Amino acid sequence: MAIIRFQAVHDANSRKPNEISGKQNKTSDYFAVNVFDKSKMQKFLSQDAYSGVMECIEKGIKIDRNLADKVAVGMKSWALDMGATHFSHWFHPLTDGTAEKHDAFIEYNEFGGVVENFSGKHLAQQEPDASSFPSGGIRNTFEARGYTAWDPSSPAFIVRNTLSIPTIFVSYTGEALDHKTPLLKALHAIDKAAVEVCEYFDKNVSKVFSTLGAEQEYFLVDESLYFARPDLVMTERTLVGHASEKDQQLDDHYFSSIPERVGAFMREFETEAYRLGIPLRTRHNEVAPNQYEVAPIYEECNLAVDHNILLMDIMKKIARRHHFIVLFHEKPFKGINGSGKHNNWSLMTNTGVNLLSPGNKPKSNMQFLSFLVCTLKAVYTHQDLLRASIVSAGNAMRMGSNEAPPLIMSIFVGNKISQMLDELEVRVTNKKMTPDEKTELKLDVGKIPEILLDNTDRNRTSPFAFTGNRFEFRAVGSSANCASPMTVLNTAIAQQLIQFKKDVDDLIEKNVKKDEAIFQVIRKYIIDSKKVRFEGNSYSEEWQKEAKKKGLTNVTNVIEALDAYLSAKSKRLFKSLKILNEKELEGRTGVRYDNYTKKIQIESRVIGDIAISQIVPTALDYQTKLIKNVKGLKELYSQNEFKVLVGGRLELIKTVSGHITAIKSKVHDMTEARKVANKIEDARGKAVQYSETVLQYLEDIRSHIDKLEQIVDNEMWPLPKYRELLFSR
Ligand code: ADP
Ligand code: MG
């Protein structure tokens, strides 16, 4: 583009955020300074208020008003000490981001002045006007009330002078309107179910936490280029743009040294994250140019979900100080790797045992195997639902192409574990084992950690992989709220653990010894879930064929994939564990259909606008330039000389013309297709119509524009090109 050959501004923020009173501080000196965590609670709460809150958090009991009042007093004095002027309930509505409404602490006092006030009432509950948040029809606008309620299991924190209190968001009639409510219920369900299974192995286990470590991928784009691209501004992805001569083919970006301006940005957002208690650990360049990753140390799942969302927010804000824009879209650039958010997931007991990590005793390994096979079976049974939890318009562009796992929900467990499962399948039978057989089996099971040590194979093509001490759900998109996949995964596994307990108890009732009963059920689950295991290359075409033969599903259409939320099987699952009722499921699936429609609708409008108001006029100007040139030649030269000199120019004029005509007619047809789709009232029907009749134009129009980009005078081209977007840092 001709106008701004921009200059990247390298004024990496002069402020040194990790400097406290002039001295460089260690991370541990300021980690979580902005969080009302245990240590602050101990300091600012009375002894009985502190133990009261701790007990409620641990047991998941509701905090009563009296206790809330006491906590509010302490929280207020801490917040005021920290310079906070406002407080806000912070929640995750069913949109892409978070919501907050700030209230000042001040109130009039009886003398007409103001005082800071904040009570249990303010802490525990608020009634934001909920009518503008999506509910999928759960809430009629005439009963627009919704309320937010404090989630004490995720600590309050201060951002920009505002005390932010993590909350759930529900309608006045009690239906969940957010991501957090079902997640908390799912976490409670898996806690209960897992503790019961642990009882077979260790009576000291009284609580099981789900853990999550989310690896966040993202792109950075220079701010001035970003604002010159209406598609990026409006949709977070490039709707047009020809591939640059070089992108990721040399693999020279992955793990290479971090550019200086990017490094300054990373250090600053990390510092901000540390202040908020977000334990960031890893940073590196990703495969694509200008693509990066950040990963924290895993935490309890609910907290990790909050922290990931908060982190994304911090990154967006800090990036502006470095004149960058962060793109969390799953596929911002065509032909280049997209971004995911690997959800590393496991289960951890209050006794500090990772249930998906093999121990060094036969008993702990039986426990490990029990949890492993329950995971396999749950993923197999609810493969459609797991897929539904991660699909979106953006993620659909990433999935199935050759850098992201496909939409067949298979599991990679690694060669060694796979062999071991196969062996167990053969060795365990329904017959009573001899004491020798039993000892031998237990001894072999005890050897798992040793065999795992050299089990370093890492299959990066699998959407769901066992990585030695956890599972990695890789299909999650980079812009997603992890609550959605984490709710489904934990719910499905909770149900499986309940079933496991029942199956084992049934056998025990039939006088089978406990250990044998457990082995028999493990074997049954190995057989039942065998089809979900796949160790090969999930990107290959052969796998698609093989998976089909095995009966694994592969749904690439977003709407059809989302339908799985509403299947009888899914409804039963959510209902039986009281995670979401039918109305809630229908409501939130409706929101997802609607979100899909809106994304495509906006993209379609934007590309139409770029095409007609930027590309076509530019192409016409260029064509006029060519015509003038040809006319000039004709004037100057004889007929014969002209024929030689004009070369391919007449053809070029025709080619440009052809693209202009095609673009105009396709934009017209696309607009007509939108008009038809917009008349459809039903959310699902509309989304289907958009996917079947509008979506195709986006690629079609783009192909003409991208061809023009290669022909038209570079000085005249109105948009920054891929080589600029991807290589300026
Ligand atoms: P890789 O890229 O090799 O997968 P990373 O170090 O980038 O590894 O990310 C691994 C993530 O897995 C980190 O967030 C880490 O904390 C997390 N993780 C490790 N152990 C567990 C566990 N038991 N439960 C949940 N997440 C875990
Ligand atoms: Mg990973």
Side-chain angles (χ1 to χ4, degrees), residues 404-423:
L407 286 154
I408 305 165
M409 295 290 125
S410 66
I411 304 185
F412 167 85
V413 289
N415 219 348
K416 292 287 160 40
I417 295 267
S418 198
Q419 274 172 16
M420 194 193 63
L421 296 177
D422 290 344
E423 213 180 294

Side-chain angles (χ1 to χ4, degrees), residues 579-636:
I579 311 292
L580 289 164
N581 63 30
E582 203 163 325
K583 193 171 166 193
E584 290 172 315
L585 270 175
E586 275 164 7
R588 64 190 49 224
T589 311
V591 172
R592 299 273 289 269
Y593 293 142
D594 199 39
N595 187 278
Y596 178 86
T597 298
K598 284 178 180 151
K599 291 260 153 95
I600 308 294
Q601 184 181 52
I602 293 169
E603 289 184 354
S604 151
R605 284 178 182 157
V606 172
I607 198 174
D609 192 45
I610 290 176
I612 300 302
S613 73
Q614 292 187 277
I615 305 301
V616 168
T618 305
L620 284 172
D621 281 353
Y622 179 58
Q623 197 188 35
T624 309
K625 214 169 156 181
L626 289 172
I627 292 169
K628 263 196 204 147
N629 175 281
V630 171
K631 277 189 180 161
L633 290 176
K634 201 164 191 179
E635 262 174 44
L636 286 175

Side-chain angles (χ1 to χ4, degrees), residues 211 213 215 293 296-298 344 346 354 458 460 470 472:
T211 54
E215 300 164 53
E293 179 184 302
I297 301 173
Y298 69 90
N344 293 270
S346 189
N354 176 353
R458 278 289 202 110
R460 299 216 167 254
R470 61 187 187 270
E472 196 169 327

Side-chain angles (χ1 to χ4, degrees), residues 189-478:
I190 199 161
D191 170 18
K192 210 163 150 253
V195 166
E196 294 204 347
V197 171
C198 284
E199 261 172 28
Y200 291 134
F201 310 98
D202 181 0
K203 300 261 186 250
N204 294 319
V205 174
S206 58
K207 188 158 177 81
V208 171
F209 302 92
S210 188
T211 54
L212 167 66
E215 300 164 53
Q216 178 71 55
E217 291 181 332
Y218 60 97
F219 277 88
L220 287 176
V221 186
D222 185 86
E223 189 181 66
S224 54
L225 297 175
Y226 170 88
F227 284 112
R229 294 275 320 207
D231 47 357
L232 280 179
V233 175
M234 295 291 148
T235 73
E236 270 225 350
R237 78 174 179 106
T238 53
L239 298 171
V240 301
H242 194 277
S244 55
E245 296 73 8
K246 166 190 174 228
D247 42 55
Q248 63 188 48
Q249 64 273 66
L250 296 176
D251 283 333
D252 53 357
H253 193 251
Y254 193 54
F255 278 25
S256 62
S257 87
I258 294 170
E260 208 166 303
R261 178 158 65 129
V262 176
F265 156 68
M266 287 177 172
R267 283 191 297 281
E268 193 176 346
F269 84 68
E270 283 166 355
T271 305
E272 197 67 28
Y274 290 147
R275 290 173 159 273
L276 287 161
I278 305 173
L280 299 183
R281 176 76 170 264
T282 315
R283 54 159 109 110
H284 62 80
N285 287 7
E286 261 303 329
V287 175
N290 270 0
Q291 191 189 25
Y292 306 91
E293 179 184 302
V294 54
I297 301 173
Y298 69 90
E299 299 177 276
E300 185 281 321
C301 186
N302 176 39
L303 188 60
V305 169
D306 278 0
H307 278 169
N308 175 253
I309 292 291
L310 190 55
L311 175 67
M312 289 165 79
D313 196 41
I314 294 168
M315 286 168 71
K316 277 191 198 155
K317 285 174 180 148
I318 303 282
R320 298 302 300 274
R321 293 195 195 145
H322 298 264
H323 305 285
F324 277 131
I325 299 287
V326 187
L327 302 178
F328 288 116
H329 193 284
E330 283 78 11
K331 194 77 181 175
F333 302 101
K334 186 180 169 181
I336 285 165
N337 275 14
S339 302
K341 176 145 57 193
H342 296 178
N343 277 209
N344 293 270
W345 169 91
S346 189
L347 293 170
M348 183 80 82
T349 66
N350 60 314
T351 55
V353 173
N354 176 353
L355 293 169
L356 288 165
S357 178
N360 46 17
K361 290 194 201 93
K363 202 168 177 183
S364 46
N365 280 334
M366 270 174 77
Q367 179 170 276
F368 159 72
L369 281 173
S370 306
F371 282 91
L372 183 85
V373 297
C374 280
T375 308
L376 297 183
K377 185 145 194 262
V379 171
Y380 178 57
T381 308
H382 293 290
Q383 49 181 300
D384 292 318
L385 189 55
L386 275 164
R387 181 189 306 108
S389 78
I390 55 99
V391 292
S392 66
N395 211 16
M397 281 161 202
R398 175 180 85 107
M399 305 302 287
S401 59
N402 69 357
E403 93 285 355
L407 286 154
I408 305 165
M409 295 290 125
S410 66
I411 304 185
F412 167 85
V413 289
N415 219 348
K416 292 287 160 40
I417 295 267
S418 198
Q419 274 172 16
M420 194 193 63
L421 296 177
D422 290 344
E423 213 180 294
L424 281 173
E425 185 187 328
V426 182
R427 278 172 63 183
V428 181
T429 60
N430 288 344
K431 284 204 299 283
K432 202 167 157 39
M433 282 187 242
T434 66
D436 277 356
E437 276 173 342
K438 226 194 259 179
T439 317
E440 204 187 327
L441 184 63
K442 281 195 178 175
L443 271 177
D444 285 352
V445 166
K447 287 186 195 138
I448 300 173
E450 289 156 41
I451 61 168
L452 261 186
L453 274 183
D454 52 271
N455 182 25
T456 46
D457 47 346
R458 278 289 202 110
N459 182 328
R460 299 216 167 254
T461 66
S462 177
F464 202 92
F466 181 67
T467 45
N469 61 0
R470 61 187 187 270
F471 278 95
E472 196 169 327
F473 191 11
R474 301 213 182 99
V476 185
S478 49

Side-chain angles (χ1 to χ4, degrees), residues 437-601:
E437 276 173 342
K438 226 194 259 179
T439 317
E440 204 187 327
L441 184 63
K442 281 195 178 175
L443 271 177
D444 285 352
V445 166
K447 287 186 195 138
I448 300 173
E450 289 156 41
I451 61 168
L452 261 186
L453 274 183
D454 52 271
N455 182 25
T456 46
D457 47 346
R458 278 289 202 110
N459 182 328
R460 299 216 167 254
T461 66
S462 177
F464 202 92
F466 181 67
T467 45
N469 61 0
R470 61 187 187 270
F471 278 95
E472 196 169 327
F473 191 11
R474 301 213 182 99
V476 185
S478 49
S479 71
N481 185 320
C482 301
S484 161
M486 283 298 110
T487 300
V488 167
L489 186 66
N490 285 294
T491 304
I493 294 170
Q495 188 199 42
Q496 195 58 62
L497 290 168
I498 293 169
Q499 188 61 44
F500 180 86
K501 169 98 169 97
K502 193 173 168 300
D503 291 344
V504 172
D505 285 352
D506 283 353
L507 287 173
I508 293 174
E509 205 135 284
K510 288 180 195 144
N511 286 328
V512 180
K513 282 254 162 29
K514 188 178 86 181
D515 286 358
E516 276 190 59
I518 292 172
F519 270 125
Q520 283 183 20
V521 178
I522 287 178
R523 172 177 179 256
K524 179 175 182 298
Y525 286 14
I526 292 173
I527 297 170
D528 289 352
S529 64
K530 211 169 176 180
K531 287 182 179 158
V532 85
R533 275 158 51 198
F534 179 62
E535 302 294 304
N537 177 7
S538 303
Y539 296 172
S540 68
E541 252 172 62
E542 297 83 75
W543 168 232
Q544 302 219 358
K545 286 184 203 139
E546 193 187 327
K548 196 170 177 185
K549 267 196 226 142
K550 283 180 160 194
L552 293 181
T553 54
N554 180 12
V555 185
T556 49
N557 179 289
V558 176
I559 311 307
E560 281 169 30
L562 282 173
D563 290 344
Y565 269 112
L566 303 177
S567 71
K569 184 158 79 176
S570 302
K571 283 181 179 170
R572 261 199 316 275
L573 169 71
F574 285 117
K575 200 173 156 195
S576 68
L577 291 170
K578 300 196 173 63
I579 311 292
L580 289 164
N581 63 30
E582 203 163 325
K583 193 171 166 193
E584 290 172 315
L585 270 175
E586 275 164 7
R588 64 190 49 224
T589 311
V591 172
R592 299 273 289 269
Y593 293 142
D594 199 39
N595 187 278
Y596 178 86
T597 298
K598 284 178 180 151
K599 291 260 153 95
I600 308 294
Q601 184 181 52

